[in-house]
Amino acid sequence: MAVTPDGPPAGNGAVARAGTNDELHPARRLPSLRVLVTLIVVLPIAAAAMAMLVISDVTSGQISEQLGEELVADATARVTAEVRNYIGQAVRLSDLYARRLQTGKLSATDLTSWEQVMFDDLATSPYAASICFGNPAGDAVYLQRAHGRLEYGVADGAKDCAAMEWPARPDGTIERNRPIRAYRYDPRQRPWYTAALNSPTPVWTPVYFWFGDAGGEMETGSGYTRTVTVNGELAGVLTIDVTLGAVSDFLRRQPFASRGDIFVVDDLGLLVAASDGAVVSAEGKRLPLASSESRAARAVAAAAPQTTTAVTAATLTGAQRNLPVDGDGPSRASVTSFTPYPGAEWRIITVLPESAFLSQAQGMRRRSILLAGVAVLGAMAIGVVFSRRLSTPLIKLSAHVARIGGGDFNTRLHLDGARELQQLAVETNRMAGGLRQRLELEKSVELATHVQQSLLPQHTPEILGLDLFGHSRYCESTGGDYLDFIDVANLPNDRAFIAVGDVMGHGLGAALLMATARAAVRTSATLGAEDLGGMMRRVNDVLARDARHGLFMTLMLLIVEPQDCRVRWANAGHDPAILYDPARDEFGELQGADVVLGVEEGLPYENFSHTGLTPGTVMFIGTDGVWEARRTGDGDMYGKDRIREVMRAHANRSASEISVALEHSLDQFVGSGEYHDDVTFVMVKFVGCEAGQVDIATRGTGVLAG
């Protein structure tokens, strides 16, 4: 019977200090740095001059390309954000009115209460063109900017949607003595009303004409429309409109419009807004890009596929390309999809003539040529001085590094002449201190490894009727798995006391918690090992008393009594032990368990037991690093079924032979890869139990689950 504590491969993390390839193969004798720098700077003066001219020409071209792309991309991003904010005011205004309706501050039936509120909101929302509300009864109220003035209108659904419209002053006074017109207006038949009813969420309507079948640019727009429900009933439909003319005016005020052009088109390829040219024809029809007055818009349309009027070409959308524009020469164009809100499937097109930025690149090219000439003339004088100033600190640095390589970590480097050299000296000195600390840390880790290895049991107890074998292998220098055979004075010597645990994670933190748990288990065992649940409770109180480390632990304490053919245990969240009875070729598990350790003080833990063990029965208690070991390549886990196969195939052998077979099976399964978790298990074989009855009991006395 033996315990095999295994660690990571020898030399893992070691720092090589001797026997390097540089020592075995000395470097060839090379010219000094001073000579090399002088030759590099002085001799190729003529070649350098030609190279500078070529580089200047190539670089200026690249700068032109990059500058053009950046200008267009920046303009597109800015315009996208500004347009989103522009139409977002209509969205925010719509949200405000919907809330007023739902809270009762506005009535969906008494529309006279809307009058002053709409005047106040339209006066403080310059980007909104109109506020309109209609209810299911056909009543409607609206306030709009149209025909160069404010217009207020109401419709009465009870009177066949008879509507009246009056001019209004900016101060909110309605000139009822001179109505603009009387007509029939049924909000339920308007595009904004039907669009809202057909959408489960607020949506932007397709662009439509406000008055009649056609209109000027200021009379064509899109509305953010929504249904409003009060107490689960439809109260009406609300729309906040934005005119195409207002959006075009907004684009013309953008800084980019002074150098280039900006267009917004919908999913049909029709203009929504433009910084140059109209978006509606004199006949009142919406214009596609190809029919725009703008040369830039027509050039973009010509570059798009002819199979559709929509600008949806993969060659343009989201990309930049050279675009010939009549009168402006080559230009850069970008088409970006833009869906600020549901229903608004738009695209923003930015076009920038190269002449707007090429002059900067040409000036840079001339300056580069001049700079190349000056650099060539000064190269001879600078070369000698620079080589001396550069080589001296490098020689000092080389000597300093050699001293560090020899183990002198206390040596200090001082470099003058430039801030960067001073910083290099500071970092080099810091590196030497770090190397010293790293060596000290490695020694500490090595000591921690030896200490933790010493905590593992060095031998297994000699118990009549039992064959025991323990195995533990850490995936790092230290680990969080716990394996122990505990010798308790007040426990009869014909019983084995086994502890197997697993701390969350691995490394030094897990190792420290494992050591704490080991000390707590052994201390608690001296107070009485018969009550395993009481022991577990005391261990939990120790670990949970200061739980700021954030770690927890599973633990299984077992007392194996071969003379009574019995196993007693307490379990804190650990995977159940596996039993195999070769005589009946049956597997089972010791299922009784409670919560993990280190979560909360004062938790109760129960005692469990199982009797009726027979000679030849094999028991496996392990940590999840065994069955969760992963195969190199596909990442498949080893699993518990393979453990059972090994137990069945080698049940007639000793516990050590079964364990070796399991280790061999694991290594073959993992292959050439590494273990990512600690592997710990105990194999127990009952060799002297008297045959008895299998006791499958309830919680508190143990459960054997097959």
Side-chain angles (χ1 to χ4, degrees), residues 60 64 357-369:
S60 62
S64 299
F357 60 87
L358 197 57
S359 58
Q360 302 179 30
Q362 291 172 343
M364 186 178 296
R365 181 183 301 175
R366 290 191 295 269
R367 290 191 296 272
S368 298
I369 295 174

Side-chain angles (χ1 to χ4, degrees), residues 170-465:
D171 62 1
T173 303
I174 301 174
E175 301 180 21
R176 300 184 186 275
N177 58 339
R178 56 186 193 96
I180 299 173
R181 60 173 175 159
Y183 62 103
R184 184 180 182 277
Y185 183 82
D186 189 348
R188 297 165 297 186
Q189 298 178 359
R190 297 299 294 164
W192 53 267
Y193 197 100
T194 56
L197 294 180
N198 293 330
S199 175
T201 60
V203 66
W204 280 90
T205 67
V207 176
Y208 67 95
F209 293 97
W210 289 10
F211 310 109
D213 296 327
E217 192 172 331
M218 291 298 295
E219 299 166 338
T220 310
S222 177
Y224 186 72
T225 182
R226 72 197 302 163
T227 58
V228 180
T229 59
V230 177
N231 297 326
E233 297 292 334
L234 177 65
V237 175
L238 173 71
T239 181
I240 309 296
D241 290 313
V242 176
T243 63
L244 300 191
V247 180
S248 294
D249 288 342
F250 172 77
L251 294 182
R252 295 183 188 107
R253 293 193 298 270
Q254 296 301 305
F256 182 83
S258 62
R259 294 180 295 175
D261 298 288
I262 312 169
F263 308 98
V264 180
V265 297
D266 61 14
D267 55 347
L268 298 177
L270 300 177
L271 284 163
V272 175
S275 64
D276 180 28
V279 299
V280 178
S281 68
E283 294 79 18
K285 296 185 179 296
R286 295 186 60 205
L287 295 175
L289 278 172
S291 301
S292 173
E293 301 170 354
S294 170
R295 296 189 299 269
R298 295 197 298 271
V300 172
Q306 301 302 316
T307 57
T308 176
T309 58
V311 184
T312 57
T315 56
L316 266 181
T317 300
Q320 296 180 345
R321 55 176 293 175
N322 291 329
L323 189 71
V325 178
D326 295 339
D328 292 336
S331 300
R332 303 300 172 94
S334 174
V335 182
T336 304
S337 296
F338 179 58
T339 308
Y341 299 97
E345 302 289 341
W346 296 350
R347 288 168 181 82
I348 292 181
I349 304 171
T350 50
V351 182
L352 179 67
E354 288 188 354
S355 59
F357 60 87
L358 197 57
S359 58
Q360 302 179 30
Q362 291 172 343
M364 186 178 296
R365 181 183 301 175
R366 290 191 295 269
R367 290 191 296 272
S368 298
I369 295 174
L370 178 62
L371 182 61
V374 173
V376 170
L377 293 177
M380 295 184 66
I382 295 174
V384 175
V385 177
F386 179 72
S387 65
R388 291 182 179 274
R389 291 182 63 86
L390 180 63
S391 60
T392 300
L394 290 180
I395 293 173
K396 293 178 64 177
L397 176 62
S398 176
H400 179 74
V401 171
R403 289 193 296 271
I404 294 177
D408 184 6
F409 297 110
N410 294 319
T411 182
R412 309 297 294 174
L413 176 65
H414 300 281
L415 297 178
D416 297 319
R419 183 174 62 243
E420 290 78 8
L421 293 175
Q422 291 177 344
Q423 184 64 28
L424 176 61
V426 171
E427 294 300 330
T428 303
N429 294 331
R430 184 179 292 127
M431 178 195 69
L435 286 174
R436 182 177 63 250
Q437 294 175 0
R438 175 65 182 270
L439 290 176
E440 293 173 353
L441 178 61
E442 286 185 355
K443 292 180 181 178
S444 299
V445 172
E446 184 177 356
L447 178 60
T449 301
H450 290 314
V451 170
Q452 188 172 35
Q453 295 290 342
S454 68
L455 295 180
L456 293 173
Q458 304 304 309
H459 59 83
T460 54
E462 297 288 340
I463 305 296
L464 183 65

Side-chain angles (χ1 to χ4, degrees), residues 73 97 112 135 182 189 233 317 336 375 419 491 524 543 602 610 676:
Y97 271 81
T112 58
N135 61 27
Q189 298 178 359
E233 297 292 334
T317 300
T336 304
R419 183 174 62 243
L491 193 68
S524 180
L543 299 184
H610 168 63
H676 298 288

